[in-house]
Amino acid sequence: MSDITLPETGPTAQGASAESSFAAWFAQTRALSARQLWVIFHEKSTFLQVFLMPVLTMVMLKVVLGEAIGRATGQDAAYGTVPLVIVVSAMFGSVVAGVRLNLERTSGLLSRLYVLPINRAADLSSRLVCEIVRMVLTTTVLIVVGWLVGFRMNPDPWAILGIYAVAVGFGIAFASIVLALAVNFSPGAPLVPLLSLVSSVLMFFNTGFAPASEYPGWLEPIVANQPMSPAIEVMRALAAGGPLTENLIKVTLWTVGTLAVCLYPALHGYRKAATAS
Amino acid sequence: MTQLTLPREQAGGDGARIEAVRQWWTLTMRGLGSIMRNGEVIFAFVSPAFLAVAFYVPLRSIMSQYADIDYAKFLMPIIALQSVGFVASSAAMRSCLDATTGITTRFRTMPVWSAAPILARFSANLVLLVISVVCAAIASLLTGWRPGGGLGGTIGLYALVLTVGIGVAVLSDAIGLLADSPETTSQAIGLPLLILGMLSTGFMPAILFPDWIAPFARNQPVSQFAKAMRAFDDGTATWSYVAPAVWWCVALIVGGAVLTYLGTRKVHR
């Protein structure tokens, strides 16, 4: 009986270690991120949902509520509306990414990637990289359009960088929740309605939509401390000036806490989803 | 050569009529079954109730303070029209899925009365519309709205809402038939509903809109429907107040009929 000699590129111990190396992870994450971004920019419906809808929502909120909110707060409503829509677009964009993950799971793509000699973390990290790129682009578009409706930013580069950091930090945290749920729920579960409902509730009950003082007394602390409100207030403070420290601490705690809670379930669930027959 | 004898109910006359009614009934039950299974009845309540809470809770004090408005009363028309919008989305998606999955074509190859699928979808949409409007009325009552136009005004108010709903459902069903995919359908329905809903006098009075968009906000169909509904609710409805809303309803129904004709032509090809 003749011995079978595997080629050097096969799944040998050396190949396995190369596959799990940082260099492999980096190269494969880059390739898979490019694929994810290609999907976003070539699917018309996704592109519209990710870029056009946030801009439309922002302009309409400003046009419809701007005067009333401006009178109530004594500040141009754009300073609440622009950060609100930046955060909301991060949330709804992540829901779209969750839907795409579920579709790729049911079509067998995750399983296919899992049996190929690809770094185990590459696909999941590519999805997060894609979310970061999407959020940076969306935030840029919203800031530019926001300028047209009265959102004037502090010219300090650190303030501008801070706005992007908060948007991306919040976005990654929410994306990790979505990814963790998408890979742990069964493919037929009502994930989209559930996440959309949560996102919609948060969208109206935060300090970007209306000042916390306008909500009923029992609801005020909930509105002021839910994840979106500190993020909005930090962006408002960075753009227009104002107290920063307390809300920055809250944003950091929410972001780090969410990532800490969701990262393991996301990785574990991803493996389970990829290996499920 | 053997002669083909059709069963009596397909051979014409009363039998054919009975068969057509049976087909319509069966397909209507199919539509209602999918509405129940998809949880659309739950969303029919959640959608207007959520809208009522989302706008009423944070904005009621601002509106009473800066616009001198009873916001529960002011929001009632847009909550009802939001429920109509929900039915529109649902109707469009249902007809689009029937068209894209090949069911509509399948029916054309079977001995099914050609109008039965359209009428069945219309009937299912009508049931969902009634449920949605009832849910919207409950949501408005929960925020503090009370009918103020007497029995006649309230009947007029809901007659108008149902007429708008029928027009929008017919139009949406036709758009679903003409669309290439569910994604296209959701955008073709979702974007106009979002724009017309938000940029209307449903949420804010026209005086609070910037000057450049106030004329559009005041005269577009959703605002005209809201204005007529408020007139019925106040007991101040006159023909001059209600006429624009009525003409918009006529336009919706005529537009829907034309697009339905084009949609069925597309399916035939």
Side-chain angles (χ1 to χ4, degrees):
Chain A
M1 187 177 154
S2 60
D3 284 341
I4 296 170
T5 311
L6 287 169
E8 230 178 289
T9 52
T12 57
Q14 184 194 349
S17 66
E19 179 190 313
S20 59
S21 69
F22 176 80
W25 170 80
F26 184 80
Q28 289 154 9
T29 296
R30 196 173 61 182
L32 290 169
S33 298
R35 175 194 157 266
Q36 293 285 347
L37 289 166
W38 190 92
V39 170
I40 284 183
F41 286 102
H42 284 76
E43 266 185 17
K44 194 174 73 174
S45 59
T46 308
F47 184 79
L48 285 174
Q49 207 161 349
V50 166
F51 293 104
L52 180 66
M53 290 300 278
V55 169
L56 264 177
T57 305
M58 183 180 73
V59 171
M60 284 190 295
L61 281 174
K62 174 69 169 86
V63 166
V64 178
L65 303 175
E67 182 71 19
I69 300 294
R71 286 184 190 181
T73 59
Q75 184 187 46
D76 192 318
Y79 288 104
T81 305
V82 175
L84 163 63
V85 179
I86 287 172
V87 169
V88 167
S89 68
M91 291 163 75
F92 280 102
S94 295
V95 173
V96 173
V99 172
R100 198 163 62 247
L101 176 60
N102 250 342
L103 285 171
E104 289 174 359
R105 175 187 176 183
T106 47
S107 69
L109 181 68
L110 295 195
S111 304
R112 180 77 179 271
L113 288 170
Y114 202 79
V115 298
L116 288 169
I118 291 173
N119 186 287
R120 291 283 182 253
D123 187 52
L124 205 58
S125 53
S126 75
R127 289 173 196 276
L128 287 173
V129 168
C130 177
E131 287 301 286
I132 291 167
V133 173
R134 178 186 63 75
M135 280 177 280
V136 168
L137 289 173
T138 310
T139 303
T140 305
V141 170
L142 289 170
I143 286 171
V144 169
V145 178
W147 187 84
L148 299 174
V149 296
F151 183 71
R152 298 289 179 268
M153 273 172 61
N154 182 341
D156 177 12
W158 289 108
I160 295 166
L161 199 64
I163 288 173
Y164 278 93
V166 170
V168 169
F170 180 90
I172 289 173
F174 194 80
S176 70
I177 296 172
V178 173
L179 292 176
L181 289 173
V183 291
N184 284 293
F185 270 57
S186 67
L191 185 66
V192 177
L194 180 75
L195 286 169
S196 298
L197 185 66
V198 170
S199 303
S200 300
V201 170
L202 292 176
M203 178 180 170
F204 289 99
F205 292 86
N206 63 69
T207 56
F209 186 73
S213 57
E214 298 300 332
Y215 292 87
W218 62 272
L219 200 56
E220 214 175 300
I222 298 169
V223 168
N225 294 296
Q226 65 108 321
M228 283 174 74
S229 293
I232 289 164
E233 290 309 310
V234 167
M235 286 193 238
R236 192 201 299 265
L238 288 168
L244 186 68
T245 315
E246 187 189 339
N247 286 309
L248 190 58
I249 291 166
K250 286 179 189 174
V251 169
T252 308
L253 288 173
W254 271 118
T255 304
V256 173
T258 304
L259 284 169
V261 168
C262 294
L263 216 54
Y264 176 74
L267 290 166
H268 178 72
Y270 184 87
R271 181 176 183 171
K272 198 172 69 178
T275 53
S277 53
Chain B
M1 188 177 157
T2 57
Q3 193 179 355
L4 179 68
T5 311
L6 286 168
R8 199 179 70 80
E9 64 263 30
Q10 289 185 13
D14 289 345
R17 209 170 289 123
I18 291 163
E19 182 61 19
V21 169
R22 193 184 298 155
Q23 289 167 356
W24 162 78
W25 179 254
T26 304
L27 292 174
T28 301
M29 287 299 111
R30 169 185 168 266
L32 291 174
S34 83
I35 284 170
M36 296 297 174
R37 274 194 310 277
N38 298 344
E40 285 174 55
V41 173
I42 296 165
F43 275 97
F45 182 76
V46 170
S47 183
F50 172 70
L51 185 87
V53 171
F55 277 86
Y56 178 72
V57 171
L59 298 177
R60 73 193 193 290
S61 62
I62 292 175
M63 295 309 291
S64 62
Q65 196 177 341
Y66 296 102
D68 195 25
I69 284 172
D70 173 359
Y71 203 46
K73 198 173 177 63
F74 188 84
L75 267 184
M76 178 275 299
I78 200 71
I79 293 168
L81 293 169
Q82 160 72 15
S83 69
V84 166
F86 167 75
V87 173
S89 305
S90 178
M93 289 306 277
R94 200 173 300 112
S95 67
C96 179
L97 285 169
D98 276 4
T100 53
T101 54
I103 292 167
T104 310
T105 310
R106 179 79 176 269
F107 286 147
R108 293 217 53 75
T109 65
M110 295 166 76
V112 173
W113 178 41
S114 59
I118 295 166
L119 290 175
R121 282 198 308 271
F122 175 77
S123 305
N125 292 336
L126 194 59
V127 171
L128 186 61
L129 175 66
V130 171
I131 293 167
S132 293
V133 169
V134 169
C135 292
I138 294 166
S140 295
L141 287 166
L142 291 174
T143 60
W145 167 74
R146 295 294 176 268
L151 183 64
T154 306
I155 289 170
L157 163 64
Y158 282 103
L160 177 62
V161 174
L162 290 170
T163 308
V164 172
I166 287 165
V168 167
V170 170
L171 188 66
S172 302
D173 184 86
I175 288 168
L177 278 178
L178 288 164
D180 299 324
S181 68
E183 290 81 10
T184 312
T185 307
S186 77
Q187 277 145 23
I189 297 293
L191 281 173
L193 284 178
L194 176 72
I195 293 165
L196 292 174
M198 286 294 283
L199 298 180
S200 73
T201 55
F203 295 109
M204 292 281 154
I207 52 159
L208 289 179
F209 278 89
D211 294 340
W212 60 273
I213 204 163
F216 170 79
R218 200 180 293 112
N219 295 303
Q220 57 114 322
V222 173
S223 297
Q224 293 296 339
F225 296 142
K227 179 184 168 185
M229 286 165 72
R230 287 189 191 112
F232 278 121
D233 192 38
D234 293 339
T236 58
T238 59
W239 173 246
S240 62
Y241 242 74
V242 175
V246 171
W247 291 122
W248 275 115
C249 286
V250 171
L252 281 172
I253 292 166
V254 170
V258 170
L259 288 180
T260 300
Y261 173 71
L262 293 174
T264 50
R265 285 276 301 275
K266 179 192 171 191
V267 170
H268 288 199
R269 287 201 297 274

